[in-house]
Amino acid sequence: MSNAGDAGMDAAPQGPTIEVLRGAPTEEELAALIAVVSEAYTGEAAEAVADDRETRTAWELSQRALRQPLNRDLGWGRFG
């Protein structure tokens, strides 16, 4: 007995599917198509890498450096 509600829970994620709309390709032709598309996908995925460098925003480039905090131990005008 199979329960229709449980069918979606145990299903493994499916990969891409190929649907032939016209003609009747042979198994060799389908295998060649899968090999070419897989190779193209692998090459494209290898080249599509995110840039790891941290880029500075326009705000970070335009702001002036902060000065050092005041040394309160010196007193006013060093007369202390």
Side-chain angles (χ1 to χ4, degrees):
M1 279 179 145
S2 68
N3 192 353
D6 294 336
M9 298 178 83
D10 295 330
Q14 294 182 0
T17 58
I18 297 175
E19 183 179 347
V20 178
L21 300 178
R22 290 186 186 165
T26 63
E27 289 184 15
E28 291 83 17
E29 291 172 335
L30 287 176
L33 173 69
I34 291 171
V36 169
V37 171
S38 296
E39 181 65 29
Y41 175 77
T42 303
E44 185 176 331
E47 293 175 5
V49 246
D51 191 10
D52 290 342
R53 293 181 293 162
E54 291 185 25
T55 57
R56 295 176 63 189
T57 63
W59 170 256
E60 291 172 334
L61 292 172
S62 67
Q63 72 180 1
R64 291 191 289 171
L66 298 175
R67 62 185 175 99
Q68 296 293 325
L70 295 175
N71 188 352
R72 304 269 184 206
D73 296 334
L74 292 176
W76 288 100
R78 301 181 195 236
F79 294 118

